[in-house]
Structures are given as C-alpha cells and as structure tokens.
Amino acid sequence: MPQHFFNEAQKAQIVKAIQAAELNSSGEIRLHIEKNCTKPNVLDRAKEVFQEIGMTNTAQQNGVLFYLAIEDRKFAVIGDKGIDKVVPEDFWESTKELLKSHFSQGLFTEGFIKAIHLAGEQLKQYFPYQTDDTNELPDEISFG
C-alpha cells in the first residue's frame, strides 16, 4: 500500500519540508505516491496525476509535482506551464539526479526532503515568496 511506504514520522518530515520550501517561493509543491505507474512513460502518468490532484489550479501556474511509483521504481519531477515558460529546459535535472542518488541507496525520505528543499531554492529565483502569498494547494502527500 502506497500509504504505508513512509511511516507517520517520515510523512511529517516530508510535509514540513514542503511547507519550508513554500516559504522560499510562491510555488506550490506536492508529492504523489502510488503502487504502479499506469502509463508506459512515467512523465505521461505524472502529467495525468498533476491534472487529477488539481495542480493546475494555481494563479501563477507554478506547481511542482514529485511523483513516485513504488513497485515500478519510476519517478518524475514536473512543473506547471508558468514554470516551464521561464526556466531552462534542464531545470529539473539536478533535482532528479539528487533523487536518483538517494533512491539508489534506499534513502527515500532523505531524498525527497533534500529535493523538495532544492526545488524551493530553485523556484525562489523565478517565483519569489510574496507577503500576501496563500497556500493554494494542500501540503500533504497524496496517494493513488
């Protein structure tokens, strides 16, 4: 069951990382975990999940999704249109490499915490935190 991939303390650490990263930027970050990737291409599934969990509902179109299919050992990091318009094409490569190196060691919690922090730092350049910023999307991990 994807809900049991992390224990409650690990889930809380990841949510705390999301909240901290969102204080650096007006971007919205989510993590979605499911057992299997239902598409041959993990990016296609991540885009589908992006829509399903309402990540297109941000004013600046600056949502970021971390997607993990546990059993298929597939993951993706994708951003919304607003991000894609302003960042270099390989913007998420360093984040993906950081995740890959941690995942290969079985360090999923640590990998997500560090990658989420990095995403917040990267987004800060393009979408700085605004004093009137509102949390547009839930910070909790979603499960499929």
Side-chain angles (χ1 to χ4, degrees):
M1 298 297 270
Q3 296 87 333
H4 304 299
F5 186 70
F6 294 113
N7 64 37
E8 293 305 314
Q10 291 168 322
K11 289 177 191 174
Q13 289 175 315
I14 293 168
V15 169
K16 186 176 176 182
I18 291 170
Q19 293 167 338
E22 288 181 357
L23 288 177
N24 283 326
S25 162
S26 62
E28 294 289 329
I29 299 172
R30 303 272 330 256
L31 168 59
H32 182 83
I33 302 172
E34 54 191 17
K35 186 175 177 181
N36 297 103
C37 181
T38 59
K39 300 273 185 194
N41 183 322
V42 68
L43 286 175
D44 290 340
R45 177 61 184 147
K47 289 174 187 174
E48 191 174 73
V49 168
F50 199 94
Q51 295 284 331
E52 288 173 3
I53 65 174
M55 294 203 60
T56 56
N57 297 332
T58 60
Q60 295 184 46
Q61 296 180 311
N62 59 354
V64 177
L65 174 66
F66 288 83
Y67 170 84
L68 175 65
I70 301 164
E71 286 192 4
D72 295 329
R73 302 175 61 99
K74 293 181 178 181
F75 73 94
V77 181
I78 61 169
D80 205 349
K81 294 178 211 166
I83 295 172
D84 290 344
K85 284 181 188 174
V86 296
V87 302
E89 194 171 309
D90 63 348
F91 186 71
W92 297 116
E93 288 309 308
S94 59
T95 307
K96 288 190 253 182
E97 287 304 314
L98 184 135
L99 284 169
K100 186 189 274 186
S101 72
H102 281 76
F103 291 176
S104 68
Q105 300 172 59
L107 302 172
F108 290 89
T109 304
E110 296 84 350
F112 277 122
I113 289 170
K114 288 184 178 179
I116 289 165
H117 174 75
L118 178 59
E121 288 295 314
Q122 291 171 312
L123 287 173
K124 182 167 49 172
Q125 302 170 57
Y126 302 97
F127 299 95
Y129 182 79
Q130 306 294 316
T131 53
D132 63 345
D133 188 62
T134 57
N135 193 8
E136 297 176 274
L137 298 174
D139 299 328
E140 289 76 31
I141 300 168
S142 64
F143 301 96

